[in-house]
Amino acid sequence: MSRHYDVDAVRKEFPAVERMVYLDSGFQTPLARPVKAAIELFLREGFETAGPKSVWLDRVEQTRAKVARFLGVTADEIAFTKNTSESMNVAANALPLRAGDNVLMIHGDHPNNAYAFLHLQRKGVEVRFIPMTDVVDADSFAPFIDEKTRAISMSHVTFHAGHRFDIESVGAMCTRKKLYFVVDVMQAIGVVPVNATAIGASFIGSGSHKGLLVPQGLGLLYWDKTLKEMEPAYLAAASLAEIPDDLIARADRMAPSPAARRFELGNFNLPAVHALGASLDMIEQIGVQNIQNHCFDLGDHLIARLDELGVRLVGPRERKHRAPHIYVIALPASDWLGHFEENGVRVSPERDGIRVSLGMFNTATDIDRLIDVIRRRGLGRPSAAA
Ligand SMILES: Cc1ncc(COP(=O)(O)O)c(C=O)c1O
């Protein structure tokens, strides 16, 4: 069923996907057995022993190290947050920006990225939006950069049409022009390989309830630790270089940790962090490159079947520019969502159609079932194949 790994074995780890045609990983992941086992272990420990907290915190550090390896960086460059929004807000508020400076973003990019930066307008920072086109790379931003431009913030993969932007070229340009570069990888991570060093990012933010397979409420932040001028906007004991032994706060010892921990606040979402340790093991075992290639193959199959039906794909078609796993098809969501629901197909409504999003467990049979459900209803409506 896959040229890249044993997808039938992987599928058995996700019981929900046997009960429906699950094509909605871009919304949230179904849970896998190893993730459930990690959360159950945490609950059992809490129930039976009131929690060995030192063991729980050790697992946090092990997971931090796994996240770092996964992103090609070191553990002291990784912080845990609540979600992508928090990571983007941490980044936006850590950049040393002044009134009159400007930040470039892409019009229509995810609001949880955009608002973090738009909120800096109250400090006099300007946010400039460049147009969203199928291809966004360094050349797309270049005409908008002036002597007051300090940063670019963008998504790697878009949630609403599955663009996969050329963040490497943007990162290289940011390095050349000494701009900060902030990347939201929420829709990419776990399916598209993400190497923070190769991207040349100052910050990378993500949540973990899509490609990273964990329930909502856990986010990640990569910070390039050479950028020491990045100060946290909020502070807690855990953010400090030296936490006082007697836990009495001292105004004269407030230097932030030299590690990304400077951006962490208080206790962790322990069950979710433990679950992430388990899901990263799963992903690493299969190989993110293999997951990407498998999803690309399924995407090729989907595009070919849509072409047969005469249904248009909204986002880019070519592998070079598209995400492997996110496809928006030009069927009006208001007309079609109910039909998919009635037929046991889980997809999402999007700006310009129905979003079909893939996970490591999907097969060509899932795509064929989706196509059958479309075909059975028929495309008599003029808007369907527009
Ligand atoms: C690109 C992108 N960023 C962020 C988010 C979500 O933000 P958060 O993790 O804060 O809920 C999503 C989707 O939910 C997304 O597609």
Side-chain angles (χ1 to χ4, degrees):
M1 282 302 244
S2 167
R3 298 184 291 140
H4 309 285
Y5 56 91
D6 184 351
V7 69
D8 293 328
V10 169
R11 202 173 165 86
K12 292 201 176 79
E13 301 286 11
F14 294 86
V17 309
E18 297 295 0
R19 302 203 178 99
M20 65 189 100
V21 181
Y22 196 82
L23 296 168
D24 212 8
S25 290
F27 172 59
Q28 68 176 25
T29 182
L31 294 188
R33 290 181 200 282
V35 170
K36 178 168 177 267
I39 295 171
E40 280 174 349
L41 175 63
F42 172 83
L43 291 178
R44 200 165 60 243
E45 289 165 341
F47 248 68
E48 292 172 5
T49 70
K53 195 168 178 190
S54 57
V55 172
W56 288 350
L57 291 177
D58 280 350
R59 272 188 219 137
V60 170
E61 295 317 311
Q62 286 160 18
T63 305
R64 194 192 299 276
K66 287 180 195 176
V67 172
R69 201 173 54 236
F70 194 60
L71 295 179
V73 297
T74 56
D76 58 353
E77 295 181 299
I78 300 297
F80 291 111
T81 62
K82 192 171 71 163
N83 48 39
T84 324
S85 308
E86 188 172 59
S87 298
M88 302 320 280
N89 273 276
V90 167
N93 287 283
L95 299 181
L97 303 178
R98 281 192 294 235
D101 290 344
N102 67 66
V103 177
L104 304 186
M105 301 196 74
I106 305 169
H107 178 77
D109 203 337
H110 199 279
N112 289 352
N113 183 5
Y115 283 122
F117 287 88
L118 283 172
H119 200 39
L120 298 178
Q121 291 181 139
R122 75 197 192 287
K123 297 181 178 171
V125 173
E126 184 196 348
V127 178
R128 292 183 180 172
F129 288 105
I130 74 159
M132 171 140 4
T133 43
D134 270 4
V135 180
V136 170
D137 56 17
D139 291 344
S140 319
F141 284 100
F144 296 85
I145 296 173
D146 64 19
E147 73 287 356
K148 288 290 192 183
T149 305
R150 299 280 173 262
I152 293 178
S153 180
M154 66 187 290
S155 291
H156 187 179
V157 163
T158 65
F159 69 105
H160 61 89
H163 309 87
R164 183 168 49 88
F165 293 137
D166 183 0
I167 49 171
E168 283 81 7
S169 81
V170 181
M173 180 187 67
C174 286
T175 305
R176 272 195 319 276
K177 294 186 179 286
K178 298 196 172 18
L179 304 178
Y180 297 113
F181 187 35
V182 183
V183 189
D184 170 351
V185 298
M186 179 49 164
Q187 286 292 0
I189 197 163
V191 181
V192 178
V194 175
N195 183 304
T197 315
I199 295 167
S202 316
F203 281 106
I204 288 180
S206 183
S208 49
H209 64 272
K210 302 182 199 283
L212 291 182
L213 316 177
V214 170
Q216 282 85 347
L218 176 65
L220 307 174
L221 180 71
Y222 156 77
W223 164 62
D224 172 353
K225 67 182 173 194
T226 65
L227 302 174
K228 296 283 187 247
E229 68 276 23
M230 307 283 191
E231 299 248 323
Y234 296 97
L235 209 63
S239 334
L240 299 179
E242 278 178 73
I243 303 173
D245 289 338
D246 57 7
L247 294 183
I248 296 175
R250 281 182 195 80
D252 60 345
R253 296 233 196 123
M254 289 179 49
S257 164
R261 185 163 72 67
R262 65 172 53 192
F263 300 112
E264 287 178 346
L265 292 170
N267 277 288
F268 297 100
N269 180 349
L270 290 169
V273 178
H274 298 177
L276 180 62
S279 68
L280 283 172
D281 289 346
M282 241 182 121
I283 294 167
E284 296 252 40
Q285 221 176 340
I286 301 167
V288 71
Q289 192 75 48
N290 290 327
I291 297 170
Q292 167 166 269
N293 291 340
H294 173 64
C295 289
F296 266 136
D297 287 353
L298 293 183
D300 289 344
H301 181 59
L302 172 66
I303 293 172
R305 305 279 337 249
L306 290 173
D307 285 350
E308 281 164 26
L309 281 183
V311 176
R312 183 171 63 84
L313 186 73
V314 171
R317 288 173 68 94
E318 292 162 52
R319 281 192 179 204
K320 187 161 184 273
H321 300 302
R322 73 181 212 239
H325 56 309
I326 298 183
Y327 300 91
V328 174
I329 56 184
L331 297 176
S334 53
D335 276 1
W336 282 84
L337 198 61
H339 177 67
F340 286 122
E341 266 167 24
E342 282 158 25
N343 286 280
V345 178
R346 280 273 285 275
V347 286
S348 271
E350 269 309 336
R351 285 175 200 164
D352 299 312
I354 291 283
R355 183 180 69 193
V356 172
S357 53
L358 308 172
M360 56 166 73
F361 47 79
N362 284 119
T363 61
T365 307
D366 293 327
I367 305 290
D368 293 340
R369 287 193 185 135
L370 168 87
I371 297 291
D372 276 355
V373 167
I374 299 174
R375 193 192 301 273
R376 261 189 277 137
R377 187 182 196 210
L379 293 164
R381 290 145 207 279
S383 45

